[in-house]
């Protein structure tokens, strides 16, 4: 049996028939996307219907934009939109700054054992489920006598009723996010630093530059494109509040909703508690469309910065 | 050649070490607290909360936890979905990745588009919920925990970008020697892709091990609860229980509830933490290949 190495334009079908295995290999994966990603995309029409379990997606009555009206005119809309954007901005800025710092400082460490051990430990939080993180947060801030308050007492500071102070939670969540994600992100920056030509450092050293100067004048500037790309990719996902994180940590503590309720937690709650499928899918559709616009814009900008790094 | 360090350079080096050391401690601290908490005597936990240097150690929490059928059951569910899920997911993703990366694939562009689109635009959780529960009737089966997470686009693309770095000549040479598609894939591609397969496999294993969302959405049957869901329920149930018991009676409750929470958490993360150092070097390598090549 003969194998074609290159297909002519006119013989696509022939190529597929002659190399069935090459195409068959993709089938299970494509099937997965069809069932679990494309069928739900079809289900978006629920946003325009008064969804009824008995009647199903096709059978339910059309209601036009009523589901959207209801959501856009409610006070919740502005709160969850603001929370989603503010929290994500905080996460992106602080995680990136921490990750860049880690990468730059890490690059200065020569001791192999210190390097290996600290790297392993810095990545560790990324491997934890948010439920485990939620449990830790719960034991630090929750209960009648939160441990953080015990420490505050040592420092003779006033105890705080953490579970009711919604103003503090954007900061607490940011700290948790940095704890969890900065080490992981720093791998990518470290990889970029490894790619910087050794000649540049050599030249700088001969010219008598100090270590700090080398970091600020060579490493950091050359890292900027990578930082920009990673930031743009993160900005592209800004409409997706981190559901797993926020739900696992905040849960159903409604006194914290004013600052921590994001689009995803709102949608999940409307589905589970209010069973309002129409409005929840309208919110979901709004989120998907805004997300798409942001991803495409971010990708467009990324392409202009560096074609290689763009998503598509 | 090493040059003598100036005072400024030395200060900088010290700063770099201190920074990394402090960040490392910051990352480790919660784990230490949790592990020590799980070995602390319950009375002390109630009186002082979790501390790094407890006065009395105790194994009561672990004794209580290890007797629990619920936890044992959760372990079996989680191990099953992690092993079966991660292996199946790895197979499917590796095959898809190979097919998508292959230059000979005349359908490459449409295939890639088909896999990209879900990353950019999704139906959201409501339609997803309806498809899984109303159309496929997967709720309350173990399969819902496995099937819904079989393919992660990001991991498929790590594989695609890796397969693209393999020189075409390798494949051509094998074909000239008479190897067919299956042999090229299994005897050439799989062996040289070990690092990336290990890291993608680790990522899949992690997402199965850590999953609770699919369980929360689709499973009511306690027998099918994965570990993380049991742990989640422990967070909220403890809260609920505390509201029911009057504050004065709380001391009289004997089961080491605070310790149990920590012990369960430790047991939940245990195996993954043990697996991680073994695979870490592959994982860093795999991730950088994917990240640099986009």
């Amino acid at each position: 049996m003969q194998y074609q190495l290159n297909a002519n334009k006119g013989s696509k079908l022939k190529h597929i028939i002659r190399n069935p295995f090459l195409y068959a290999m993709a089938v299970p994966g494509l099937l997965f996307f069809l069932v679990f990603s494309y069928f739900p995309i079809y289900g978006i029409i629920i946003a325009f219907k008064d969804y009824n379990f008995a009647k199903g997606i096709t059978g339910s009555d059309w209601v036009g934009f009523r589901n959207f009206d209801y959501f856009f005119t409610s006070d919740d809309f502005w709160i969850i939109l603001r929370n989603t954007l503010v929290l994500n901005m905080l996460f992106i800025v602080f995680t990136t700054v921490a990750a860049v710092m880690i990468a730059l400082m890490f690059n200065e460490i020569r001791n192999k054992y210190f390097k290996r051990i600290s790297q392993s430990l810095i990545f560790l939080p990324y491997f934890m489920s948010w439920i485990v993180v939620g449990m830790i947060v719960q034991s630090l801030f929750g209960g009648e006598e939160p441990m953080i308050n015990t420490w505050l007492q040592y420092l003779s500071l006033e105890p705080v009723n953490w579970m009711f102070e919604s103003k503090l939670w954007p900061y607490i969540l940011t700290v948790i996010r940095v704890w969890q994600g900065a080490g992981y992100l720093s791998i990518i920056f470290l990889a970029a630093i490894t790619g910087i030509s050794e000649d540049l450092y050599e030249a700088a050293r001969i010219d008598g530059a100090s270590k700090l100067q080398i970091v600020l004048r060579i490493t950091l500037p050359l890292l900027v494109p990578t930082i920009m790309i990673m930031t743009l990719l993160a900005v592209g996902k800004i409409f997706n509040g981190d559901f797993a994180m926020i739900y696992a940590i905040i849960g159903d503590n409604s006194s914290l909703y004013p600052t921590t309720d994001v689009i995803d937690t709102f949608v999940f709650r409307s589905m589970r508690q209010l069973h309002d499928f129409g409005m929840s899918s309208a919110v979901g559709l709004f989120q998907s469309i805004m997300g798409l616009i942001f991803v495409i814009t971010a990708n467009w900008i990324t392409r202009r910065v560096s074609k290689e790094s763009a998503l598509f | 050649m090493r040059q003598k360090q100036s005072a400024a350079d030395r200060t900088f080096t010290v700063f770099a070490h201190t920074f990394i050391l402090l960040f490392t401690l910051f990352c480790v601290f919660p784990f230490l607290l949790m592990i020590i908490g799980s070995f602390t005597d319950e009375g002390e936990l109630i009186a002082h909360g979790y501390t790094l240097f407890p006065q009395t150690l105790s194994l009561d929490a672990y004794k209580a936890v290890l007797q629990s059928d619920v936890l044992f059951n959760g372990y079996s569910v989680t191990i099953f979905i992690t092993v079966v899920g991660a292996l199946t997911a790895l197979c499917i993703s590796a095959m898809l990745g190979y097919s998508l990366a292959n230059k000979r694939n005349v359908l490459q562009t449409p295939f890639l588009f088909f896999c990209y689109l879900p990353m950019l635009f999704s139906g959201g959780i409501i339609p997803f919920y309806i498809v899984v529960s109303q159309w496929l009737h997967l709720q309350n089966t173990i399969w819902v925990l496995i099937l819904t997470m079989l393919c992660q686009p990001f991991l498929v693309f790590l594989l695609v970008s890796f397969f693209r770095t393999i020189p075409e000549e390798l494949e051509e040479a094998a074909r000239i020697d008479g190897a067919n598609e299956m042999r090229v894939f299994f005897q050439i591609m799989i062996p040289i892709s070990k690092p990336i397969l290990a890291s993608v496999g680790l990522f899949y294993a992690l997402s199965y091990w850590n999953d609770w969302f699919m369980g929360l959405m689709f499973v009511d049957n306690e027998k099918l609860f994965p570990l993380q869901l049991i742990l989640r329920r422990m967070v909220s149930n403890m809260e609920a229980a505390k509201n029911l018991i009057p504050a004065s009676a709380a001391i009289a409750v004997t089961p080491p509830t605070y310790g149990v929470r920590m012990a369960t958490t430790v047991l939940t993360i245990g195996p993954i933490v043990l697996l991680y150092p073994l695979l870490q070097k592959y994982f860093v390598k795999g991730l950088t290949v994917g990240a640099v090549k986009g």
Side-chain angles (χ1 to χ4, degrees):
Chain A
M1 201 167 160
Q2 268 211 327
Y3 288 90
Q4 267 179 286
L5 289 176
N6 290 298
N8 302 321
K9 269 201 168 166
S11 60
K12 280 190 179 181
L13 193 67
K14 222 162 132 191
H15 187 263
I16 298 173
I17 293 167
R18 282 207 184 163
N19 300 280
F21 195 67
L22 180 63
Y23 298 91
M25 281 171 92
V27 170
L30 298 178
L31 213 59
F32 171 87
F33 287 119
L34 180 71
V35 173
F36 293 104
S37 303
Y38 284 88
F39 285 1
I41 289 178
Y42 163 76
I44 279 174
I45 57 171
I46 296 168
F48 304 96
K49 291 196 165 201
D50 178 17
Y51 185 72
N52 180 317
F53 263 105
K55 290 179 181 171
I57 293 180
T58 13
S60 296
D61 303 326
W62 292 98
V63 293
F65 284 90
R66 205 182 66 195
N67 290 323
F68 291 87
D69 278 351
Y70 182 68
F71 170 59
F72 283 126
T73 50
S74 79
D75 295 336
D76 288 339
F77 171 69
W78 293 105
I79 295 171
I80 65 168
L81 186 65
R82 186 202 63 200
N83 290 348
T84 310
L85 298 179
V86 168
L87 284 175
N88 271 319
M89 300 269 268
L90 284 170
F91 293 172
I92 293 170
V93 170
F94 285 97
T95 314
T96 310
V97 170
V100 170
M101 277 291 277
I102 294 167
L104 291 177
M105 296 305 132
F106 208 76
N107 200 39
E108 298 301 318
I109 288 169
R110 296 281 161 266
N111 185 320
K112 214 170 70 184
Y113 296 103
F114 181 50
K115 210 168 182 165
R116 201 179 292 161
I117 292 169
S118 58
Q119 196 172 34
S120 301
L121 294 175
I122 282 173
F123 295 161
L124 202 57
Y126 187 77
F127 289 80
M128 294 303 121
S129 83
W130 283 115
I131 294 294
V132 168
V133 179
M135 185 61 115
I136 295 172
V137 172
Q138 189 53 239
S139 55
L140 285 173
F141 295 96
E144 281 145 39
E145 195 63 27
M147 190 166 21
I148 298 272
N149 283 353
T150 327
W151 298 340
L152 288 179
Q153 275 168 14
Y154 282 126
L155 303 168
S156 13
L157 294 168
E158 286 291 301
V160 179
N161 200 348
W162 299 95
M163 287 305 171
F164 292 94
E165 289 289 336
S166 64
K167 281 203 179 86
L168 297 170
W169 281 85
Y171 307 106
I172 300 174
L173 290 175
T174 306
V175 172
I176 297 170
R177 187 78 224 205
V178 169
W179 173 79
Q180 189 253 4
Y184 175 79
L185 187 61
S186 74
I187 308 176
I188 289 156
F189 295 134
L190 266 173
I193 292 177
T194 322
I196 298 173
S197 159
E198 200 45 47
D199 300 350
L200 286 168
Y201 292 110
E202 199 66 32
R205 251 175 261 141
I206 289 167
D207 288 346
S210 74
K211 281 194 175 182
L212 185 65
Q213 280 174 322
I214 292 176
V215 168
L216 292 180
R217 302 272 168 81
I218 299 179
T219 319
L220 192 58
L222 287 174
L223 204 54
V224 167
T226 317
I227 297 173
M228 269 191 75
I229 288 150
M230 296 315 289
T231 309
L232 279 168
L233 288 177
V235 169
K237 284 178 266 172
I238 206 164
F239 273 88
N240 294 335
D242 204 324
F243 174 80
M245 171 191 183
I246 293 175
Y247 190 72
I249 293 172
I250 305 295
D252 299 319
N253 185 351
S254 56
S255 44
L256 300 183
Y257 287 166
T259 58
T260 61
D261 203 17
V262 292
I263 301 178
D264 300 73
T265 46
F266 178 83
V267 170
F268 184 74
R269 212 171 48 243
S270 341
M271 177 180 96
R272 296 287 290 210
Q273 292 172 5
L274 310 174
H275 298 285
D276 191 339
F277 280 62
M279 191 199 45
S280 315
S281 3
V283 182
L285 180 58
F286 163 75
Q287 182 188 26
S288 288
I289 290 173
M290 292 307 286
L292 187 66
I293 294 171
F294 263 68
V295 172
I296 289 175
T297 316
N299 186 68
W300 180 74
I301 300 170
T302 316
R303 269 181 89 99
R304 312 210 76 182
V305 181
S306 148
K307 228 177 164 178
E308 286 263 299
S309 315
L311 201 60
F312 48 90
Chain B
M1 213 166 62
R2 282 224 93 139
Q3 278 172 327
K4 243 202 244 166
Q5 290 200 335
S6 71
D9 279 359
R10 239 173 293 139
T11 320
F12 183 70
T13 312
V14 170
F15 175 78
H17 281 76
T18 317
F19 181 84
I20 294 295
L21 187 70
L22 288 178
F23 196 85
T24 310
L25 289 177
F26 168 63
C27 287
V28 180
F29 178 71
F31 295 109
L32 282 179
L33 212 58
M34 196 167 64
I35 294 167
I36 294 168
S38 69
F39 288 107
T40 308
D41 180 71
E42 185 71 11
E44 205 182 320
L45 283 181
I46 292 170
H48 307 293
Y50 305 99
T51 44
L52 281 185
F53 308 102
Q55 308 285 316
T56 8
L57 293 174
S58 137
L59 286 172
D60 289 353
Y62 285 95
K63 278 182 196 149
V65 168
L66 292 173
Q67 280 170 3
S68 133
D69 286 343
V70 181
L71 197 76
F72 179 75
N73 201 32
Y75 248 101
S76 344
V77 171
T78 295
I79 290 172
F80 181 78
I81 62 169
T82 304
V83 173
V84 175
L87 287 179
T88 320
L90 185 60
C91 280
I92 289 178
S93 310
M95 295 196 305
L96 180 63
Y98 173 74
S99 183
L100 289 177
N102 202 306
K103 285 211 178 72
R104 294 176 305 116
N105 188 333
V106 291
L107 296 176
Q108 203 184 30
T109 318
F111 275 14
L112 279 168
F113 181 77
F114 193 80
C115 299
Y116 260 138
L117 191 68
M119 273 169 103
L120 302 177
F121 191 79
S122 71
I125 72 167
I126 311 285
F128 179 76
Y129 177 80
I130 291 172
V131 165
V132 174
S133 62
Q134 307 293 305
W135 292 14
L136 303 170
H137 296 287
L138 283 172
Q139 75 272 41
N140 280 320
T141 61
I142 189 119
W143 306 112
V144 76
L145 302 174
I146 293 176
L147 291 174
T148 46
M149 293 167 48
L150 269 183
C151 222
Q152 290 180 22
F154 172 70
L155 297 180
V156 173
F157 289 103
L158 275 189
L159 288 159
V160 169
S161 46
F162 181 85
F163 284 129
R164 280 196 177 143
T165 62
I166 298 173
E168 245 178 299
E169 289 77 15
L170 200 66
E171 198 186 327
E172 278 171 27
R175 279 175 205 289
I176 289 164
D177 288 346
N180 62 24
E181 199 85 51
M182 260 192 247
R183 282 191 70 164
V184 171
F185 181 67
F186 285 111
Q187 295 195 327
I188 296 178
M189 295 303 168
I190 294 292
I192 54 174
S193 320
K194 264 188 201 147
I196 190 81
L197 292 176
S199 46
V200 169
L202 173 67
F203 273 119
Y204 274 123
L206 265 172
S207 42
Y208 278 108
W209 187 274
N210 283 342
D211 181 63
W212 49 276
F213 183 62
M214 294 303 169
L216 182 67
M217 287 250 283
F218 300 113
V219 176
D220 305 318
N221 180 353
E222 290 181 17
K223 289 230 159 84
L224 293 174
F225 273 13
L227 274 183
Q228 305 289 338
L229 204 56
I230 293 172
L231 192 64
R232 192 196 95 90
R233 220 171 43 158
M234 207 174 262
V235 186
S236 38
N237 265 10
M238 197 79 72
E239 290 277 280
K242 212 175 285 163
N243 291 337
L244 292 175
I245 306 166
S248 56
I251 316 289
V253 178
T254 35
T257 44
Y258 287 93
V260 160
R261 285 164 58 146
M262 293 296 106
T264 313
T265 315
V266 171
L267 291 173
T268 310
I269 62 172
I272 272 309
V273 173
L274 295 180
L275 190 65
Y276 157 76
L278 297 174
L279 290 167
Q280 197 213 350
K281 64 174 181 190
Y282 293 123
F283 145 75
V284 172
K285 209 190 280 171
L287 197 74
T288 18
V289 168
V292 173
K293 291 280 166 187

